[in-house]
Amino acid sequence: MAEAAIIARVLPCVQDVGAEAWNRLLAQQSHPTPFMRHEYLAALESSGSATPRTGWTPRFMTLWQGDTLVAACPLYLKSHSYGEYVFDWAWASAYEQHGVPYYPKAVIAVPFTPVPGSRLLARDAAARALLVQAVCQWCEQENVSSVHVLFASDDDVLTSVQQDLMLRHTVQFHWKNEPPAPAAAQGEAATDGQTPRYRDFDHFLASLSQDKRKKIRQERRRVADAGVSFRWSRGANISASDWDFFYRCYERTYLEHGNPPYLTRDFFARMATHMPEAWLLFVGERDGRPVASSLIAISADESSTTGQNGSNSGPESGSELVAYGRYWGALERVDCLHFEACYYQPLQWCIAHGAVRFEGGAQGEHKMARALLPVQATSAHWLAHPAFAEAVQRFLDREGAGVESYLGDLQARSPFKAA
């Protein structure tokens, strides 16, 4: 053949794949996110957060044509189902009851990160199909029970269906910087054919129904009356002391729920060094002392890395900004502080800086009262055992009908004013 054959290589860590080649392939995908960058995945390994000791054994599947990386995905062998946010404990229990090992299983995912996006990185649809085939064949050879592609992009889902993987749907809650029709008609003109955006937080509130608007104002007032105010820092302007304070809050939140945190302090140190542009930190202070913080990720955008309140006077130029709610914690209990730190401060920032979307993460119907609306997230699954695959497919058919009905019910409960 005139063209070199495509060779599959399973690598023990992402560092064995060149960062430039990996990130170049990621940039070609329809739904790239900061969490699939080489630097992010490498930090999970190097910091001890996602390693064999914590139940995440890396086995990166890569396809090569000569020296060119044509497809790749983060593949982890799992000895448990923690940190995935697509819950399959019942499947594992059924396997155990029938004397069939469910672990190790394989997940194609970003550890501890329920953010939809491209998982199967490929130069084209054909290479993506070959990647799925290579993963499933390798898992059969290694006696791995199953493959799970979590929070997949539309391209990933299409390829998974074509390769006979089973689909599973869950519900997340996302906010869009896009006024509904009544609010858009009331002075929210689009320019140059662009989608209308909220002018400011008050304009956003004006689009909501009266009860939701009143509730948000009451919650924000409680935080202000408690003497808590917020500042934000972005990228390289997040100081080492702020990173340390954030981690105290983050760690305490996990420990209060009876679990150690998934991510180590070293992971965030590596983020500050290798991916600073992807992070935005809010710090709540009372009487000059920090008492709470929330950390959100943002799609990398080189047009601005400014740091303090008021240093950027309007929406940013460049690629569209997307924000992702990630971590929070507090050292003191203040009524409604969680809502202010995790929703109202980020949404206010998103409006001021022209972000198009804020993804609130997995679960939480309470997010709808803050105008985060339900969206469907999808995963794809392959089980090596034919009988279990058939049983799981029946389960997914029933579950899928329930999710569809649930999604319809949620969509009927709009927090916005009636047209």
Side-chain angles (χ1 to χ4, degrees), residues 69-305:
L69 182 67
V70 299
C73 65
L75 180 69
Y76 296 90
L77 297 181
K78 292 294 302 298
S79 58
H80 55 66
S81 294
Y82 292 104
E84 298 173 17
Y85 302 93
V86 176
F87 304 109
D88 61 350
W89 297 105
W91 303 2
S93 177
Y95 269 67
E96 182 180 6
Q97 291 172 9
H98 289 82
V100 180
Y102 187 66
Y103 304 108
K105 65 175 185 177
V107 297
I108 299 174
V110 181
F112 324 119
T113 309
V115 177
S118 297
R119 299 289 180 263
L120 306 171
L121 311 186
R123 69 179 180 187
D124 53 34
R128 190 173 294 107
L130 287 176
L131 183 64
V132 173
Q133 294 170 20
V135 168
C136 294
Q137 290 172 6
W138 182 81
C139 286
E140 280 192 303
Q141 295 169 3
E142 297 294 319
N143 293 319
V144 175
S145 73
S146 51
V147 177
H148 310 266
V149 187
L150 306 183
F151 300 100
S153 70
D154 290 344
D155 287 342
D156 297 341
V157 170
L158 177 61
T159 298
S160 297
V161 170
Q162 293 170 343
Q163 298 301 314
D164 295 326
L165 273 68
M166 300 176 288
L167 298 186
R168 189 178 191 184
H169 304 296
T170 56
V171 176
Q172 291 196 339
F173 296 86
H174 298 176
W175 174 88
K176 288 186 177 181
N177 190 358
E178 184 177 332
Q186 297 173 7
E188 183 56 26
T191 59
D192 300 327
Q194 296 180 351
T195 302
R197 305 283 184 228
Y198 292 110
R199 293 187 304 272
D200 51 35
F201 196 84
D202 284 339
H203 182 217
F204 160 61
L205 287 181
S207 70
L208 301 177
S209 62
Q210 182 179 2
D211 60 326
K212 299 296 188 294
R213 184 167 63 249
K214 181 179 178 181
K215 182 179 181 65
I216 290 174
R217 284 177 172 156
Q218 288 175 339
E219 290 174 344
R220 302 202 78 181
R221 191 178 303 117
R222 287 183 186 136
V223 175
D225 290 346
V228 178
S229 61
F230 277 81
R231 60 179 173 86
W232 62 265
S233 300
R234 180 177 173 185
N237 290 318
I238 303 175
S239 67
S241 60
D242 278 344
W243 278 113
D244 287 338
F245 174 73
F246 155 74
Y247 195 78
R248 285 178 61 199
C249 295
Y250 165 75
E251 182 179 44
R252 177 166 175 166
T253 297
Y254 270 86
L255 293 176
E256 285 179 345
H257 288 84
N259 298 302
Y262 285 134
L263 301 172
T264 66
R265 175 64 182 90
D266 185 53
F267 168 79
F268 292 104
R270 293 173 184 274
M271 289 293 94
T273 299
H274 302 299
M275 278 181 60
E277 74 285 351
W279 299 102
L280 176 66
L281 180 67
F282 296 90
V283 176
E285 297 176 327
R286 179 157 63 177
D287 298 327
R289 295 179 297 101
V291 297
S293 66
S294 67
L295 183 69
I296 71 174
I298 49 178
S299 55
D301 179 82
E302 299 301 325
S303 61
S304 174
T305 55

Side-chain angles (χ1 to χ4, degrees), residues 171-174 359-361 363-365 367-368 372-374 410:
V171 176
Q172 291 196 339
F173 296 86
H174 298 176
E359 299 190 7
Q363 305 165 326
E365 290 183 22
K367 296 171 184 174
M368 285 194 66
L372 280 74
L373 301 183
L410 290 176

